[in-house]
Amino acid sequence: MSPRRDLAGIALGLALVTPVHAADRHYTGIEAAPAAAEPTPPTPGPTPPEPITDTKIIKPSEPEPPLEDATGPWAVGGFVDTQYIINSNFPDNHIMRATAVTSRTGEFSPNLVVAYIRRDPIRSPWMFDLALQAGPAADALYAGEPTPGGADSRYAGAEVFKHIGRANTGVKLKGGTEIAAGLMVAPTHFGSFWAKDNWHSSITWGYSSVPFFLMGARVYQPIGDKFGVGLWLANAYGYMGDNNKAPSGLLNLVFTPVQNLALVQNVYAGPEDVSLKPESWRLLLDTQVVYTTEKWGIAVVGDYGREKLTFRPGAPLAQWANAMVSVRWHVLGDKHRWGMAVRPEFYWDHNGRIFNEPDPDNFLFAGTFTNDVRLFDALLIRVEYRYDHSTAPHGFFYRGAATTDTATGLGHDQHSIIFNFIGYFERRLPRWRN
């Protein structure tokens, strides 16, 4: 079995525009209600900082509308992410190897097109989220979908699943307890598969190696006003389908000691091979510290994973670890905003379980600098420079005619300039009246 991230050697990657946590996911792994939603009575448990929005100016003669006239819980939205990447290695296959959302290089690409509808738990406990998508990033994300039984498998695989970005429903009870099932955003690492929700255009090697999504069921329980615990059962590590007959589990712990600060610990464990023996289970420890304000933010993430590869001769132990620090700041502007972000990172891949690297050890180092401008709260223009270095003896990055993972002539270094042009919108539907 090959891991999701580099089965086809395909790359994927994206970028956040608001000076707060990603708008589409809580760091508890819970879907966040948008800032424009009607206020609801506070519930116990930790929640991320409220999104920063442009201040609404109300004249004395124009009072706020009464609560009963507020808009309803349904929202519709979407975005078009168009991208152009200059890669110093100029690979003939136009693919950036192994990153999760920057998939095509040397050409203008409609990287990802998304349309969604969402119901937030306002006036009733019901939640619903459905997102449909298309584009090279979606193709790359689902390229490794398992098909149990090989040629005998039916009704599953990449062609079936790649156009589904989210599909889940659930309830939020009065005490804050959430119960949901379906395809949901995973709480692992810091970032999003959607470009409009990241601080950078590209994502880290660490985020490329953890699940973007989990297909299964979850329960989240607030404990007081600062703690929360989430439990997940999922098909597999970032797949919609599964290639064995047992689910995996994830424990999500959240602590918000002060406003704007979130401390998150995720523990993922379960079988990712056809073997169900505990000795072959995959273990992932994911730790996050995120602090954001209107003017600046910092995110620190560290991961460690291990898995015994019982499907290989001698059953070697694969291990991987990564760390990153991302800092963003607001440069100037209110309605038309300009922001910057920097991010150093490293990744260690021992025995190549994550990136299918044949060398016993491969260290990846990267540094990223991002500039973005948001216009009219509808258009994001971003320019990013990224440098990557691999210590693998035979190289790692696709270069020229070297476009397979074991080809001769792979590059040790890679310089990239990424241009993003993202148009986006979200509108809350009027409340239906009797």
Side-chain angles (χ1 to χ4, degrees), residues 86-89 96 202-203 205 343-346 364-369 384-391 397 411-418:
I86 301 173
N87 184 326
S88 62
N89 291 319
M96 284 186 68
S202 63
I203 62 172
W205 295 106
R343 181 186 64 204
E345 60 173 298
F346 87 90
L364 293 164
F365 299 93
T368 304
F369 174 67
E384 176 173 296
Y385 169 74
R386 173 173 176 145
Y387 169 72
D388 294 280
H389 173 74
S390 168
T391 64
F397 305 104
H412 289 89
D413 300 280
Q414 180 173 267
H415 300 266
S416 302
I417 300 178
I418 304 171

Side-chain angles (χ1 to χ4, degrees), residues 126-182:
W126 181 39
M127 302 181 297
F128 175 83
D129 197 2
L130 175 65
L132 303 179
Q133 62 189 15
D139 292 346
L141 178 63
Y142 289 95
E145 275 294 327
T147 52
D152 295 329
S153 183
R154 298 289 188 276
Y155 325 122
E159 292 304 313
V160 176
F161 295 142
K162 69 182 182 181
H163 296 303
I164 305 174
R166 297 175 188 173
N168 62 82
T169 189
V171 294
K172 182 175 182 179
L173 306 179
K174 290 184 177 180
T177 304
E178 295 196 15
I179 304 172

Side-chain angles (χ1 to χ4, degrees), residues 83-424:
Q83 178 178 103
Y84 190 91
I85 301 176
I86 301 173
N87 184 326
S88 62
N89 291 319
F90 298 100
D92 290 350
N93 61 0
H94 289 210
I95 293 175
M96 284 186 68
R97 183 182 179 188
T99 58
V101 260
T102 46
S103 50
R104 302 291 297 175
T105 74
E107 64 188 32
F108 281 100
S109 172
N111 191 51
L112 191 63
V113 180
V114 171
Y116 62 87
I117 182 170
R118 184 184 71 247
R119 190 196 191 284
D120 300 312
I122 300 172
R123 293 192 181 88
S124 76
W126 181 39
M127 302 181 297
F128 175 83
D129 197 2
L130 175 65
L132 303 179
Q133 62 189 15
D139 292 346
L141 178 63
Y142 289 95
E145 275 294 327
T147 52
D152 295 329
S153 183
R154 298 289 188 276
Y155 325 122
E159 292 304 313
V160 176
F161 295 142
K162 69 182 182 181
H163 296 303
I164 305 174
R166 297 175 188 173
N168 62 82
T169 189
V171 294
K172 182 175 182 179
L173 306 179
K174 290 184 177 180
T177 304
E178 295 196 15
I179 304 172
L183 182 66
M184 298 169 284
V185 178
T188 45
H189 217 272
F190 174 75
S192 170
F193 182 63
W194 289 3
K196 67 183 185 66
D197 296 330
N198 286 342
W199 295 355
H200 305 270
S201 291
S202 63
I203 62 172
T204 65
W205 295 106
Y207 194 28
S208 293
S209 68
V210 302
F212 292 119
F213 305 111
L214 292 174
M215 180 67 190
R218 66 167 174 85
V219 176
Y220 176 74
Q221 178 61 56
I223 302 174
D225 61 352
K226 297 184 182 299
F227 292 92
V229 178
L231 294 174
W232 299 61
L233 281 180
N235 274 347
Y237 193 86
Y239 291 121
M240 285 188 69
D242 201 355
N243 60 358
N244 56 46
K245 300 177 181 179
S248 296
L250 183 142
L251 173 65
N252 171 227
L253 304 175
V254 181
F255 177 44
T256 55
V258 296
Q259 185 180 10
N260 300 333
L261 175 64
L263 310 177
V264 181
Q265 180 64 57
N266 295 303
V267 180
Y268 180 100
E272 297 298 322
D273 185 13
V274 292
S275 172
L276 302 183
K277 296 180 179 179
E279 66 178 9
S280 65
W281 283 13
R282 177 174 297 186
L283 171 68
L284 174 71
L285 304 177
D286 170 65
T287 304
Q288 308 168 36
V289 179
V290 181
Y291 182 80
T292 64
T293 69
E294 184 177 0
K295 295 297 184 182
W296 71 284
I298 182 170
V300 181
V301 179
D303 294 340
Y304 169 78
R306 67 183 300 278
E307 182 178 358
K308 195 168 186 180
L309 308 183
T310 56
F311 57 91
R312 290 185 183 175
L317 178 65
Q319 299 181 80
W320 57 94
N322 64 83
M324 77 91 181
V325 178
S326 180
V327 180
R328 66 104 185 123
W329 60 96
H330 177 240
V331 178
L332 56 84
D334 183 14
K335 184 175 181 179
H336 306 303
R337 299 194 296 267
W338 175 22
M340 295 183 182
V342 295
R343 181 186 64 204
E345 60 173 298
F346 87 90
Y347 193 92
W348 171 58
D349 192 11
H350 176 67
N351 275 328
R353 177 56 167 149
I354 298 301
F355 293 117
N356 288 339
E357 175 58 34
D359 295 312
D361 279 300
N362 182 21
F363 283 89
L364 293 164
F365 299 93
T368 304
F369 174 67
T370 308
N371 270 270
D372 59 52
V373 176
R374 175 184 284 197
L375 303 176
F376 308 106
D377 199 25
L379 177 64
L380 169 67
I381 302 174
R382 175 174 284 148
V383 180
E384 176 173 296
Y385 169 74
R386 173 173 176 145
Y387 169 72
D388 294 280
H389 173 74
S390 168
T391 64
H394 82 294
F396 180 79
F397 305 104
Y398 295 153
R399 182 174 63 177
T403 56
T404 64
D405 296 355
T406 57
T408 300
L410 294 173
H412 289 89
D413 300 280
Q414 180 173 267
H415 300 266
S416 302
I417 300 178
I418 304 171
F419 300 90
N420 275 111
F421 308 90
I422 304 172
Y424 59 94

Side-chain angles (χ1 to χ4, degrees), residues 56 58-66:
K56 183 179 180 181
I58 305 294
K59 297 179 181 179
S61 59
E62 298 176 359
E64 288 279 8

